[in-house]
Amino acid sequence: MDEAPSDFCRDYPEQEISLDDVENGGYPVISQARYFVERIAERSTMTRIFQAEQLEYVDALRRQWAEDHGADWRDPDSLEWREFRAEVAAVLEVHERSAQSTIELARNLVNVFPSTLAGLRGADFSERHARILVEQSVGLKTELLAEYEARLLPWAVELIPSRFERLARQIRAELDSEAMVERHRVAVTERRIALEPAGDGMAWFGNYLAAEDGVAAMAVATGIAKGLLKVEGETRTLAQIESDVVRDMLLDGWGTMPPLEPGSETIPTPAARRGVTPEILVHVPVLTAMGVSDEPADLEGYGPIDAETARRIAGTAPGWLRMLTDPEDGAIVSFGRTTYRVPKQLRRFLEARDQVCRFVGCARSAKHCQADHATPWSEDGETVLANLELLCVSHHLVKERRRWKIGNEGTGEISWTSPTGRVYRTKPVRKFAPPGEKRMPRFTDPDLIEKWFEKIEETNRTGHPPF
């Protein structure tokens, strides 16, 4: 980190400030602090300039890809566009949804809102201001875009992003109220759920849906929670009960919900009505399961969880899948065939190793991916672990197009060479022993471990957990 030069400190010595100085408009100059503030301001300016240049390059690449490969932004589902989007996501090291957003921002700034791009290039305002201006223009008629920018842009240098966004919505509504209807129609097509891991074994679960449905869902959850809050002996807070209500309605496949009207019968939860039984996969070290160690377990789709939680989940598991790992480095050294429901063993092995789509930057869950031969079967590729990886449907199609070249090194690490020749690498979530290398887990008591696995096999036969 830079330090304030001695000359700077001499030019701006620290000063004592008196009440008279304050009343007369005087203020102290704190030399070292002022120096750092100026450096922060400089970097902020540089960042804005670089962001503008990067967006210009992104749109230049879009035009070049259209010329070379026929990728058209009007057809985002085409393989040509998917390849282009994948390249942008890979080089920016972001999810493809974020890459698509950046591509659209760049295209609009370069071709629709050049004055806004010029302002960003001049560091007049932040990239967030430019993004808000573009995003809030969606649905406006083409002939209104110039007036929209002319009215809104001057405020970018005056308002913080949150206030600027409110003003953008107001101006858009004044120009064309019908645009609000169109924007909502578009937004509804993007509804989805999302899971965001948080700390301490917790996660945020959300549903992006129509506002009226969201308000109604919140009212239902709060209404039920307020009723339960009045129950004698209840110690949970309203917020805790609301969370538990939503969880129970989604996950309790055999439960019931309070009646819709006083005196009427209870009704089954949605999960119970639909017969939905969720599957949760947890990788629990055997010593943790036995209570000998408190080494964290791994909850697929989330990450590490504490040993106590892992044992509680494992204690209610209807079946176990035997997988031996090295206690020192986590490398998987063997994969058993005993399970309550007989799986396709190699597929489960891949899911345990990859956990997500193996295309660079993709986070699609392995459950929703396809097993792919790195070297195609038609070209004498073998159906063995060293030649397999999991790819989501979209990236499987991109790979089959052959412009993206894949290299599977047999250890789980995969290289991707893009159509431009740039190489990207992805590593598996879990380690594996190299092919042909025989390794034994370094357990301190092999006999104890063997007895534990006998209990696991009994669990798979009887359904009773080995606790």
Side-chain angles (χ1 to χ4, degrees):
M1 182 176 67
D2 294 341
E3 291 188 4
S6 57
D7 289 345
F8 186 95
C9 295
R10 285 198 298 269
D11 293 340
Y12 297 92
E14 295 189 9
Q15 303 174 17
E16 292 288 334
I17 188 69
S18 68
L19 182 59
D20 290 338
D21 290 328
V22 174
E23 292 175 347
N24 294 327
Y27 59 92
V29 177
I30 310 298
S31 59
Q32 193 79 16
R34 175 63 181 274
Y35 175 78
F36 292 135
V37 167
E38 294 302 326
R39 299 293 77 75
I40 292 171
E42 286 179 0
R43 271 56 179 183
S44 177
T45 296
M46 293 166 60
T47 297
R48 294 175 180 185
I49 294 172
F50 286 143
Q51 286 174 328
E53 292 178 352
Q54 184 182 69
L55 290 168
E56 290 177 300
Y57 283 128
V58 168
D59 196 62
L61 178 61
R62 177 189 65 82
R63 296 193 301 271
Q64 188 64 50
W65 211 284
E67 181 180 334
D68 294 344
H69 306 296
D72 189 342
W73 64 273
R74 301 175 188 84
D75 187 10
D77 292 327
S78 67
L79 286 175
E80 293 79 10
W81 185 263
R82 289 181 183 181
E83 290 177 335
F84 164 62
R85 183 175 59 209
E87 179 83 69
V88 174
V91 73
L92 293 180
E93 299 182 354
V94 298
H95 192 278
E96 284 194 26
R97 187 178 295 117
S98 298
Q100 179 68 32
S101 175
T102 299
I103 293 167
E104 284 301 306
L105 175 63
R107 183 184 65 80
N108 277 283
L109 288 176
V110 172
N111 301 281
V112 183
F113 300 112
S115 296
T116 302
L117 179 60
L120 180 60
R121 193 188 305 112
D124 296 335
F125 44 78
S126 71
E127 186 263 1
R128 179 59 185 151
H129 287 88
R131 186 177 293 275
I132 288 171
L133 186 145
V134 170
E135 291 177 348
Q136 293 299 323
S137 72
V138 175
L140 274 176
K141 297 176 182 177
T142 303
E143 60 268 23
L144 296 174
L145 294 176
E147 182 181 355
Y148 165 78
E149 183 184 31
R151 290 180 57 181
L152 179 60
L153 188 57
W155 291 99
V157 299
E158 303 287 344
L159 302 176
I160 62 173
S162 59
R163 294 181 62 193
F164 184 69
E165 185 171 10
R166 287 196 292 270
L167 180 61
R169 291 198 300 267
Q170 178 183 334
I171 293 176
R172 183 195 68 227
E174 292 173 356
L175 289 173
D176 187 2
S177 59
E178 294 180 3
M180 297 180 65
V181 177
E182 178 59 27
R183 282 175 61 86
H184 179 66
R185 289 174 180 170
V186 173
V188 167
T189 65
E190 299 175 355
R191 59 191 182 277
R192 58 187 179 273
I193 61 174
L195 179 70
E196 180 182 346
D200 303 320
M202 302 295 286
W204 290 100
F205 174 78
N207 191 352
Y208 181 65
L209 72 171
E212 63 272 22
D213 292 337
V215 171
M218 188 68 185
V220 170
T222 301
I224 296 174
K226 286 182 176 179
L228 294 174
L229 187 63
K230 299 176 182 178
V231 175
E232 184 177 354
E234 179 60 69
T235 59
R236 294 173 295 175
T237 65
L238 179 62
Q240 291 171 339
I241 300 176
E242 287 174 331
S243 176
D244 293 344
V245 165
V246 174
R247 177 217 172 271
D248 291 346
M249 288 194 292
L250 288 174
L251 300 183
D252 186 4
W254 297 272
T256 60
M257 296 187 298
L260 296 177
E261 298 179 359
S264 61
E265 296 182 356
T266 58
I267 56 177
T269 62
R273 292 197 302 270
R274 298 170 187 169
V276 176
T277 303
E279 180 182 56
I280 299 176
L281 299 182
V282 184
H283 301 282
V284 186
V286 64
L287 297 180
T288 298
M290 296 169 65
V292 176
S293 167
D294 283 333
E295 179 185 353
D298 184 83
L299 175 62
E300 284 198 13
Y302 174 79
I305 58 175
D306 64 275
E308 182 179 342
T309 300
R311 284 191 286 266
R312 177 171 52 80
I313 295 174
T316 60
W320 290 67
L321 190 64
R322 173 175 170 172
M323 186 185 302
L324 296 183
T325 63
D326 191 313
E328 291 191 8
D329 61 14
I332 296 175
V333 295
S334 85
F335 194 78
R337 294 181 178 275
T338 56
T339 180
Y340 180 73
R341 292 174 294 180
V342 178
K344 296 179 180 179
Q345 297 293 315
L346 190 55
R347 167 76 193 200
R348 296 296 290 271
F349 201 62
L350 282 169
E351 290 183 1
R353 183 193 73 181
D354 293 349
Q355 296 194 17
V356 296
C357 169
R358 292 302 306 281
F359 195 85
V360 58
C362 187
R364 183 70 169 167
S365 172
K367 288 184 178 181
H368 306 295
C369 292
Q370 301 171 341
D372 172 72
H373 291 74
T375 300
W377 179 265
S378 59
E379 299 176 13
D380 298 326
E382 296 183 88
T383 306
V384 295
L385 182 66
N387 189 46
L388 293 172
E389 70 283 329
L390 294 176
L391 297 175
C392 67
V393 175
S394 177
H395 289 128
H396 200 169
L397 291 172
V398 168
K399 184 255 185 182
E400 292 300 315
R401 186 73 174 230
R402 301 295 184 94
R403 285 206 281 258
W404 279 82
K405 309 297 183 184
I406 186 173
N408 190 329
E409 301 178 11
T411 61
E413 183 170 334
I414 294 175
S415 64
W416 290 94
T417 304
S418 77
T420 64
R422 190 179 178 92
V423 178
Y424 307 92
R425 297 185 183 277
T426 69
K427 294 183 178 181
V429 174
R430 297 182 67 84
K431 301 176 183 178
F432 284 78
E437 181 179 340
K438 294 183 178 180
R439 306 173 63 187
M440 291 299 295
R442 293 180 282 275
F443 292 125
T444 56
D445 190 347
D447 292 337
L448 187 62
I449 301 300
E450 189 58 38
K451 291 180 180 179
W452 178 259
F453 282 126
E454 290 177 1
K455 289 185 177 181
I456 289 179
E457 292 177 2
E458 181 180 354
T459 293
N460 293 326
R461 289 195 305 269
T462 65
H464 300 300
F467 293 100

